[in-house]
Amino acid sequence: MNVIETKNLTKSYSDFTAVSGVNLHIPKGTVYGFLGPNGAGKSTTMKMFLGLTRPTGGFFTIDGKKYPEDRVEILREVGSFIEASAFYGNLSGEENLEIIRRILGLPKSSVAEALETVGLTQFKKRPARKYSLGMKQRLGLAGALMGKPPILFLDEPTNGLDPVGIHEIRTLIRSLPEKYDCTILVSSHLLSEVELMADMVGILNHGHLLFEGTLEELRGEAAAQGYATDNLEEIFLAMIENDNGKRGARR
């Protein structure tokens, strides 16, 4: 069963098309790695899912609910970590999450559960401005996890972290589908991390979906096209370069 599906999803801004006829199929309970260079359309797609920008063509469904008719119902099922999280620096991590809890109308236990899940319980009283970058990323994830949503959108959750922080966040994300029975769409530039984290990947370039499937299927397609298949980064770069070459030839 696919929790998220798009049909010819498109977003254009006057003469620029950020997302072009994309058809995604994201199965329930998977970690889906959303890959692409800067400007490929990953963040724009996530923003459409969250109702932050409207599609100019096509449509999408999330858990069987169609946008825009069911926008409010969709948002109730989604947790998100999009770009850098904004917190009140003078408030503690616990107090920042308490604000989210009240807005969402969740039980008081939700804050403690979210802090425990991301490993911030012992730092809950510390002002957010004194958090390291890794701790801020964890706090952002805690905010996304409030209420245990069945669907999570995570945009570059390991951005700017050192190797230890990256490992910790990756391990946490990998544990969530089993722990919370959730489905995760995660975008990242760190392809080696996605390779260790994701069950499936979708590769975008210039708003077009070049590939969607399991990592095994990706390696099979890469081998059929004569690409090196040693690691995801090599496959990704070869696909992007090939697609860019075709676009240059068409111009």
Side-chain angles (χ1 to χ4, degrees):
M1 172 190 167
N2 292 323
V3 170
I4 302 169
E5 288 192 2
T6 72
K7 180 70 172 177
N8 297 324
L9 189 64
T10 300
K11 178 64 181 182
S12 298
Y13 301 92
S14 60
D15 60 345
F16 171 69
T17 301
V19 177
S20 182
V22 166
N23 297 303
L24 297 178
H25 310 84
I26 302 178
K28 179 178 172 59
T30 58
V31 176
Y32 186 104
F34 206 27
L35 307 176
N38 282 335
K42 305 186 303 296
S43 294
T44 300
T45 301
M46 286 189 169
K47 286 176 180 176
M48 284 192 277
F49 289 159
L50 291 167
L52 299 175
T53 186
R54 293 178 68 97
T56 49
F59 65 91
F60 65 86
T61 60
I62 294 181
D63 200 16
K65 301 171 180 65
K66 188 175 178 182
Y67 181 88
E69 296 93 319
D70 304 316
R71 178 176 178 269
V72 174
E73 287 78 8
I74 287 171
L75 291 177
R76 287 197 185 109
E77 297 191 21
V78 169
S80 64
F81 179 94
I82 303 294
E83 297 172 348
S85 294
F87 298 109
Y88 295 102
N90 60 317
L91 298 182
S92 68
E94 184 178 49
E95 289 167 333
N96 272 284
L97 294 184
E98 176 65 17
I99 292 170
I100 297 172
R101 183 196 74 77
R102 291 185 182 186
I103 291 170
L104 298 177
L106 297 170
K108 290 189 175 182
S109 60
S110 299
V111 172
E113 288 174 4
L115 287 166
E116 179 67 28
T117 298
V118 302
L120 283 180
T121 301
Q122 68 187 101
F123 305 108
K124 64 182 181 180
K125 300 296 185 184
R126 182 180 295 183
R129 70 173 180 272
K130 294 187 177 180
Y131 277 14
S132 67
L133 180 56
M135 291 166 70
K136 288 175 180 175
Q137 296 291 85
R138 285 169 176 266
L139 189 58
L141 277 172
L145 289 168
M146 294 283 285
K148 301 179 182 176
I151 300 157
L152 282 172
F153 297 133
L154 308 178
D155 192 13
E156 302 288 350
T158 57
N159 208 17
L161 299 184
D162 62 21
V164 173
I166 290 169
H167 173 78
E168 290 174 348
I169 296 294
R170 181 235 302 162
T171 303
L172 172 61
I173 291 170
R174 185 65 257 176
S175 73
L176 291 174
E178 184 175 352
K179 189 170 186 176
Y180 282 178
D181 189 27
C182 64
T183 304
I184 302 175
L185 175 63
V186 55
S187 77
S188 179
H189 288 102
L190 299 173
L191 305 178
S192 59
E193 286 304 309
V194 171
E195 193 167 13
L196 295 168
M197 188 192 307
D199 304 298
M200 290 184 66
V201 295
I203 298 177
L204 275 185
N205 192 38
H206 296 291
H208 293 266
L209 188 66
L210 303 186
F211 173 85
E212 180 184 65
T214 65
L215 291 170
E216 187 177 336
E217 289 168 341
L218 177 59
R219 290 189 182 95
E221 180 159 322
Q225 294 183 32
Y227 302 148
T229 60
D230 294 341
N231 60 62
L232 178 59
E233 188 161 2
E234 288 185 359
I235 297 171
F236 171 82
L237 292 172
M239 280 191 163
I240 296 299
E241 186 176 337
N242 183 52
D243 186 60
N244 287 341
K246 289 177 181 177
R247 291 176 188 286
R250 285 198 292 267
R251 288 192 181 111

